[in-house]
């Protein structure tokens, strides 16, 4: 992230700090979910949390459909079965884009090896949510539209040796294309942050 983008995100986070809980969560959603909301990324993973004993998970379930359904975006609460955690770990996604991201041979090979049922998207999503009750499932990178080769390399080498650069994911090949993608995602987030900063 360049310094200008970092400043915008910093100002945004400071600006929403005193929002009520609902508007705080909504602002986080529309900023950090912007690449998916705008249709340039299949899915985004957002951990909604706030200081204090705030039940963000319940707040999310009460409002998410109202916020996302008009935009054609769906969601999956990944930590729904974690009763001790009031944060909301949410995957927001565009169904068609996500199905396309998971249907390539390389992605299917990784998912099959991880025990995912590949008959339909809903079965894959259910399996993903179940896996969050154990060790962190690093294959989630496929759901987040990361290149399968980079996901595979990271899963095989979590010490990140041989990575060429790092942004939204750790890159092992295709640096130029990855950097262009990082810039698109960051622009979407910063554009959304600016709108919220100006009260739109």
């Amino acid at each position: 992230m360049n310094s200008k983008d970092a400043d915008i995100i910093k100002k945004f986070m400071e600006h929403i700090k005193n929002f009520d809980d609902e508007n705080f969560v909504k602002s986080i959603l529309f900023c950090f979910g912007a690449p998916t909301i705008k249709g340039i990324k299949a899915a985004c993973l957002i951990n909604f949390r706030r200081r204090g004993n705030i039940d963000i998970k319940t707040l999310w379930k009460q409002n998410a459909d109202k916020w996302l359904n008009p935009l054609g975006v769906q969601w999956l609460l990944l930590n729904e079965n974690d009763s001790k955690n009031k944060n909301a770990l949410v995957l927001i996604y565009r169904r068609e884009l996500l199905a396309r991201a998971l249907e390539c041979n390389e992605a299917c090979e990784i998912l099959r090896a991880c025990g995912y049922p590949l008959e339909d998207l809903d079965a894959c999503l259910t399996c993903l949510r179940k896996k969050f009750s154990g060790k962190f499932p690093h294959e989630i990178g496929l759901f987040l539209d990361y290149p399968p080769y980079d996901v595979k390399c990271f899963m095989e080498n979590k010490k990140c040796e041989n990575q060429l650069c790092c942004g939204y994911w750790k890159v092992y090949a295709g640096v130029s294309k990855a950097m262009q993608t990082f810039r698109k995602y960051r622009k979407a987030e910063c554009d959304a942050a600016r709108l919220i900063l100006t009260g739109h």
Side-chain angles (χ1 to χ4, degrees):
M1 187 190 312
N2 63 45
S3 59
K4 187 176 178 183
D5 289 346
D7 285 345
I8 291 166
I9 297 300
K10 185 178 178 181
K11 286 177 185 175
F12 163 78
M13 293 304 296
E14 186 65 27
H15 179 71
I16 68 171
K17 189 168 63 176
N18 295 319
F19 281 14
D20 63 65
D21 295 333
E22 183 176 328
N23 283 304
F24 176 85
V25 170
K26 185 179 179 182
S27 297
I28 292 290
L29 168 65
F30 280 92
C31 178
F32 297 108
T36 294
I37 290 168
K38 294 185 176 186
I40 59 176
K41 188 174 189 285
C44 288
L45 181 66
I46 308 173
N47 188 12
F48 296 95
R49 56 187 174 186
R50 199 166 200 188
R51 289 181 180 176
N53 195 29
I54 308 299
D55 188 356
I56 299 295
K57 196 181 293 182
T58 297
L59 188 154
W60 172 264
K61 288 191 281 189
Q62 290 171 344
N63 292 281
D65 287 339
K66 174 179 68 178
W67 295 332
L68 291 175
N69 284 357
L71 304 172
V73 176
Q74 294 176 269
W75 57 275
L76 181 70
L77 183 60
L78 293 170
N79 66 335
E80 187 165 14
N81 296 324
D82 182 358
S83 59
K84 296 178 183 177
N85 190 348
K86 292 188 176 182
N87 296 346
L89 182 63
V90 180
L91 183 80
I92 67 162
Y93 62 95
R94 288 194 172 275
R95 192 173 184 86
E96 287 184 15
L97 295 181
L98 183 55
R100 194 179 309 154
L102 299 181
E103 70 184 4
C104 72
N105 290 336
E106 296 89 344
C108 286
E109 183 181 320
I110 295 168
L111 291 173
R112 192 176 293 111
C114 292
Y116 283 79
L118 300 180
E119 59 267 19
D120 64 56
L121 181 59
D122 290 325
C124 275
L125 289 167
T126 298
C127 186
L128 177 67
R129 181 165 56 193
K130 287 178 181 176
K131 283 177 175 283
F132 267 86
S133 61
K135 292 182 180 178
F136 188 88
H138 292 288
E139 68 275 7
I140 194 173
L142 298 170
F143 292 81
L144 298 175
D145 225 350
Y146 302 166
Y149 178 79
D150 289 337
V151 174
K152 183 179 180 182
C153 287
F154 179 74
M155 290 174 70
E156 292 174 349
N157 177 25
K158 296 186 183 68
K159 292 181 180 178
C160 305
E161 297 167 355
N162 304 320
Q163 75 175 47
L164 303 176
C165 70
C166 182
Y168 286 79
W169 69 87
K170 291 178 171 55
V171 178
Y172 295 86
V175 172
S176 177
K177 185 176 180 181
M179 294 298 288
Q180 289 176 353
T181 302
F182 294 166
R183 284 192 288 270
K184 282 197 301 183
Y185 293 171
R186 183 59 67 192
K187 182 179 186 302
E189 292 174 355
C190 289
D191 287 349
R194 287 190 190 93
L195 285 173
I196 293 166
L197 283 166
T198 55
H200 291 88

